[in-house]
Amino acid sequence: MADLDGTPVGVFHVRAHSGRQSISDWLLARLGLDDDFASVRLPKDKRLDFASDLLPFLHIRQDDIDRFVVRPPERHTERLAALTLLLNLSNPRLERLAGTITDLNNDIVRRRRQHKQIRDFLAASDTTNLETLAADLSRLRDQEKQADDLVRRMTDEASAATRFAEHLRLQVEQADHRRHRARDGEDWAARRHREAVDKVTALDRSLDRLSAVENASPEDREQLALLYGSCPACETALADRVVPPGHCSLCTLPLPGSAQVREKARLDHARDAARATLEQAERDLAATRAAYDLAQQRWDHARAELDRRTTLVVTPFLDAVTAATAEREALRARLETLQRLHVPHQRLADDLADLISEEHRLQQLRTEYADLAATLHDPVDVRRQLDSLFGGIVHAFGLPWATGRARLDPHTWTPLVDEQDFEQRGGGSRTAVSVAYSLTLLVYALENPQHFRLPTLLILDSPQKNFGRNDHDQRLAARMYSWTVDYFAARRGLGGRHDDAQLIIIDNNIPTTHHRGFDKLVTFRDDGFIRDLDNPHGAPVTAEPPSLELHDNPAPVV
């Protein structure tokens, strides 16, 4: 793409590529419509673009001029979305809000449908019916409370019946307390015994190591240093400290081989003391075990005596308490089953509460949408102005066998003439209606630039398509061209958008009486090629590349 003086503007893709600007995006940005068109949500995640959705308003092709209005019927959604934006009846914020509303509404409808299906499924069975479940749960909870009361009452009665043996219960509790204290004493003695065994084992290993040094040949012996009985710094006794075999009792480093005798004497003395401690630990462990065994026997005896004295009294109550407890547990099991069946209903209730919240949010968004839409142009007023313009142009055209009553359909914004849709009219008449509709949009854009952002360029290809050579059709063509010439001639020199507008008509049979109203751009030979072009299929013979000059010419051109 280059500007008018040939300066390159940029290279753009014809088709959209991710992360790269297309020619459509560039053109829409130049027109200030890129954000507007990008905000529209279309089916199948499509988007409006220049070539498909804006250009058809500006270029009425020969093949399409009598087939449809701007876009085919199956592209009604895209045509109406683009027209709504161009007429300032919507804006990007409103379009994005509409997309959010659509998504939220679709989600609510889907969830409502799913909610109904699950609710109907649960209600279809007595097992999962909400009312039946609620009644059963209420009944079982009452029965569970009664069972609890029965177990508690019978337990209290059993306790009252055995109150005469309260002193035996106290003896059992005291015996149990003494049994636990004896167990704690036994555990303490066992720990001391293990510590004493570990110390004797360590000293035995140290003596074995020292014996290995003494029995070795002189050259293989380690040189032992003098033994200290206490630390020379703090005078703390070192005799009871166990160090690894062959290590100094002071610094714990490996010993040289010069003091084996004194070290052996120290280790022997320490081992004797450790064995004495071990023997005492063994006696203590035996004593605590005997004490625990005695406490266990006394507890067993006290408990047996309590059982003997109370069995005859408690047995009738015990059977009843057992039966009542079993009944209560059975009720609780049935309650748990029903509560699991009630979980889907609770989830439905939670989902319904969430749905109600989402519906409230949807209502808020719709209110916001309505408030925002109220700040834009009133569609009724816009359509009234377009109806007036379109009706005036159709009346000026004087369609044969028509009353001239013309307006736009309030829903589709397509032309209605004598209350007939575009497709219901004849071929030549459809062409005239299509021309009148496109001229209506161009005129509205020229006269209401603040309301309509349609570019003021219109190309009409074959506006007499399907016109016959009869007097009716020829007079219709003359009236069409007469209105067009008169409109632009009356506004020549007004300035503004009228001076910038371009109307290009491609027609081989413009009535001779209206030739003066047009600037001729190109003409075609009888064989369909442009005159004065020697080689229509070859490269240009001039040094300069051909270009289309977009000059400011208020007059229509052909």
Side-chain angles (χ1 to χ4, degrees):
M1 180 66 67
D3 58 18
L4 294 179
D5 62 3
T7 302
V9 173
V11 177
F12 307 99
H13 289 271
V14 175
R15 298 182 182 277
H17 285 260
S18 58
R20 298 181 181 180
Q21 190 178 32
S22 66
I23 185 64
S24 174
D25 296 332
W26 183 79
L27 289 170
L28 289 174
R30 293 291 297 271
L31 295 170
L33 296 172
D34 50 336
D35 189 39
D36 298 68
F37 275 36
S39 67
V40 176
R41 296 277 298 275
L42 295 174
K44 299 181 180 179
D45 201 28
K46 294 182 179 179
R47 55 171 294 181
L48 299 177
D49 62 26
F50 177 86
S52 300
D53 302 294
L54 182 59
L55 186 59
F57 284 95
L58 311 177
H59 180 198
I60 312 303
R61 299 169 62 248
Q62 178 184 18
D63 293 341
D64 305 332
I65 197 167
D66 62 338
R67 293 175 55 233
F68 48 75
V69 177
V70 180
R71 299 295 307 277
E74 61 270 18
R75 294 291 181 263
H76 160 75
T77 301
E78 292 90 332
R79 176 188 60 81
L80 195 58
L83 183 61
T84 301
L85 286 169
L86 292 172
L87 289 169
N88 284 328
L89 301 179
S90 184
N91 58 31
R93 182 183 171 191
L94 196 67
E95 290 294 332
R96 292 188 175 95
L97 188 58
T100 302
I101 290 174
T102 299
D103 290 343
L104 182 57
N105 183 70
N106 291 341
D107 184 60
I108 289 174
V109 170
R110 177 188 59 79
R111 291 176 60 186
R112 275 286 187 185
R113 182 170 58 250
Q114 186 180 42
H115 182 276
K116 182 178 182 302
Q117 290 173 347
I118 298 175
R119 185 191 61 199
D120 293 345
F121 172 78
L122 294 175
S125 170
D126 290 338
T127 305
T128 56
N129 183 275
L130 180 59
E131 295 180 357
T132 304
L133 277 175
D136 290 344
L137 282 170
S138 177
R139 176 174 53 80
L140 287 176
R141 287 191 179 107
D142 291 340
Q143 293 177 359
E144 181 193 25
K145 184 177 182 301
Q146 294 172 4
D148 275 337
D149 294 340
L150 178 61
V151 170
R152 190 179 304 108
R153 185 174 67 253
M154 298 186 72
T155 302
D156 292 342
E157 291 176 358
S159 298
T162 59
R163 201 162 284 147
F164 68 90
E166 197 65 35
H167 68 286
L168 294 176
R169 289 197 188 92
L170 180 60
Q171 291 178 6
V172 170
E173 291 177 1
Q174 292 173 348
D176 187 53
H177 178 66
R178 287 192 294 270
R179 183 170 64 97
H180 283 295
R181 283 197 306 171
R183 169 63 73 182
D184 293 340
E186 182 187 8
D187 291 341
W188 173 81
R191 285 196 299 274
R192 287 197 61 196
H193 181 266
R194 285 195 299 272
E195 292 172 357
V197 169
D198 292 342
K199 187 170 184 179
V200 169
T201 302
L203 289 169
D204 286 342
R205 285 199 301 268
S206 296
L207 285 169
D208 291 343
R209 174 64 178 167
L210 190 59
S211 297
V213 172
E214 291 177 345
N215 296 330
S217 59
E219 61 272 12
D220 294 334
R221 293 179 184 176
E222 296 178 357
Q223 298 299 313
L224 298 178
L226 293 177
L227 175 68
Y228 289 90
S230 61
C231 176
C234 64
E235 298 184 354
T236 300
L238 302 177
D240 293 333
R241 186 171 63 168
V242 178
V243 296
H247 288 68
C248 175
S249 60
L250 177 62
C251 67
T252 71
L253 294 176
L255 288 169
S258 61
Q260 292 93 333
V261 176
R262 295 183 62 184
E263 180 66 11
K264 185 175 185 300
R266 185 191 72 80
L267 292 176
D268 286 336
H269 176 73
R271 184 177 61 177
D272 292 341
R275 282 180 174 173
T277 303
L278 175 60
E279 292 171 357
Q280 182 60 43
E282 289 174 346
R283 289 191 294 272
D284 292 342
L285 179 59
T288 55
R289 282 178 177 172
Y292 173 76
D293 292 341
L294 179 60
Q296 179 71 34
Q297 292 173 3
R298 289 175 178 175
W299 179 76
D300 291 338
H301 176 74
R303 190 176 60 174
E305 181 65 17
L306 176 64
D307 291 343
R308 185 184 67 80
R309 297 283 299 275
T310 59
T311 297
L312 294 177
V313 178
V314 171
T315 298
F317 294 99
L318 183 60
D319 294 340
V321 169
T322 302
T325 302
E327 178 64 21
R328 182 185 62 182
E329 295 306 316
L331 287 171
R332 287 178 175 174
R334 293 172 61 188
L335 264 175
E336 185 179 355
T337 300
L338 290 182
Q339 286 168 347
R340 285 199 297 268
L341 291 174
H342 190 263
V343 169
H345 291 283
Q346 184 59 48
R347 290 176 179 171
L348 276 181
D350 295 342
D351 186 59
L352 180 60
D354 187 57
L355 273 173
I356 293 174
S357 175
E358 289 292 274
E359 287 172 344
H360 178 66
R361 176 170 168 256
L362 177 62
Q363 185 59 41
Q364 290 179 326
L365 290 175
R366 284 173 171 167
T367 301
E368 182 182 353
Y369 182 90
D371 293 342
L372 184 58
T375 63
L376 303 175
H377 300 304
D378 186 357
V380 176
D381 291 340
V382 173
R383 193 169 56 252
R384 186 182 299 115
Q385 296 179 56
L386 288 172
D387 286 349
S388 177
L389 285 173
F390 180 63
I393 294 175
V394 170
H395 178 75
F397 282 6
L399 298 179
W401 302 288
T403 64
R405 291 181 294 112
R407 64 184 181 91
L408 301 186
D409 185 290
H411 303 292
T412 64
W413 294 71
T414 52
L416 293 173
V417 177
D418 292 340
E419 299 306 310
Q420 287 185 324
D421 291 330
F422 180 79
E423 294 81 5
Q424 294 176 282
R425 307 197 65 82
S429 179
R430 284 201 301 270
T431 300
V433 170
S434 179
V435 171
Y437 181 79
S438 295
L439 288 173
T440 297
L441 298 182
L442 176 62
V443 170
Y444 187 73
L446 290 171
E447 298 182 359
N448 299 275
Q450 71 280 12
H451 292 170
F452 198 22
R453 291 183 292 165
L454 183 73
T456 53
L457 165 68
L458 177 60
I459 302 173
L460 296 173
D461 191 347
S462 304
Q464 295 189 63
K465 184 180 180 182
N466 291 326
F467 279 25
R469 306 305 298 173
N470 57 73
D471 292 341
H472 291 293
D473 287 354
Q474 291 304 302
R475 284 198 294 270
L476 171 60
R479 289 191 294 270
M480 287 171 49
Y481 278 102
S482 177
W483 182 92
T484 304
V485 170
D486 292 344
Y487 176 84
F488 284 96
R491 288 156 182 78
R492 191 183 300 274
L494 292 179
R497 287 168 68 87
H498 287 87
D499 285 352
D500 295 332
Q502 293 186 77
L503 172 62
I504 300 175
I505 298 177
I506 304 171
D507 194 350
N508 292 330
N509 299 299
I510 295 180
T512 56
T513 54
H514 297 89
H515 280 183
R516 58 180 177 78
F518 296 91
D519 293 335
K520 185 183 299 185
L521 291 180
V522 294
T523 58
F524 295 88
R525 300 200 301 260
D526 294 339
D527 57 6
F529 293 115
I530 299 175
R531 291 177 183 170
D532 303 324
L533 188 62
D534 295 331
N535 184 9
H537 293 293
V541 296
T542 58
E544 294 185 9
S547 63
L548 175 63
E549 182 181 357
L550 302 177
H551 55 80
D552 295 337
N553 190 343
V557 295
V558 61

